[in-house]
Amino acid sequence: MADFVLAQHTKDKIRELKGKDVKLVGRLFLKFQRDICSEYLMIPQALLLSLILHSKEKEKLANDGDSIPVKLIEPEGVTSLIKLVKKGNGMYVFGSQDEWKNVVSRNRFRVEVPVDLWSFVDGESTRFFVMQYVHGLNNQATANTVTVID
């Protein structure tokens, strides 16, 4: 079974932001270089609807194309404002093509290094997502993982 642990510096950042409702969204397995260079990072709708998003967030994402602003703490430590957008294919994506390309350019994503995606809400009810590199694992997906799809 996979070991899902937040790094201490990430725990400290969440505590500093008065974070609550911390949940693992899933482990992202970047299987191909195209996953890293894709226009979007896609997350299956079922994961976000059943486990992560609160009812008010779900209401704001009722229709295809709807979006909500979220903050993303990137693996290299930068916090960026990005949109979570509902797509018509039963998926959610982070931001526009340009927003995601900016995230990719600031980070050192590699095919062989999975990324855990976490979520929490800060003391002001702002939705955050945290991406954290996972070192020392082979690139095998388990039932508790999310795969990047382009």
Side-chain angles (χ1 to χ4, degrees), residues 20-149:
K20 59 186 178 207
D21 199 22
V22 179
K23 294 181 182 171
L24 176 72
V25 177
R27 182 157 286 163
L28 309 176
F29 286 87
L30 306 173
K31 294 183 174 189
F32 306 102
Q33 186 63 30
R34 73 170 185 258
D35 291 336
I36 297 169
C37 298
S38 177
E39 295 178 0
Y40 303 102
L41 175 67
M42 296 186 137
I43 305 166
Q45 179 173 317
L47 283 173
L48 287 177
L49 285 179
S50 64
L51 301 173
I52 307 300
L53 298 178
H54 296 152
S55 58
K56 288 183 181 182
E57 293 168 318
K58 291 176 191 177
E59 288 172 16
K60 291 178 182 177
L61 292 166
N63 300 305
D64 296 343
D66 288 351
S67 67
I68 59 171
V70 298
K71 290 190 177 180
L72 177 66
I73 301 174
E74 301 170 18
E76 297 296 326
V78 173
T79 300
S80 56
L81 182 61
I82 195 166
K83 291 184 290 281
L84 180 66
V85 183
K86 183 177 181 185
K87 296 301 249 185
N89 55 1
M91 305 292 270
Y92 287 92
V93 299
F94 278 129
S96 66
Q97 180 178 355
D98 289 337
E99 286 174 327
W100 180 244
K101 284 186 177 182
N102 288 336
V103 170
V104 169
S105 71
R106 287 189 296 264
N107 295 276
R108 295 174 288 150
F109 295 112
R110 295 194 333 239
V111 171
E112 68 275 14
V113 180
V115 178
D116 281 350
L117 181 65
W118 296 80
S119 179
F120 71 94
V121 177
D122 74 1
E124 298 176 7
S125 299
T126 300
R127 171 68 59 191
F128 276 77
F129 287 91
V130 178
M131 296 181 84
Q132 175 179 277
Y133 299 125
V134 181
H135 298 284
L137 293 178
N138 61 17
N139 210 359
Q140 300 296 316
T142 68
N144 295 330
T145 63
V146 177
T147 301
V148 175
I149 302 168

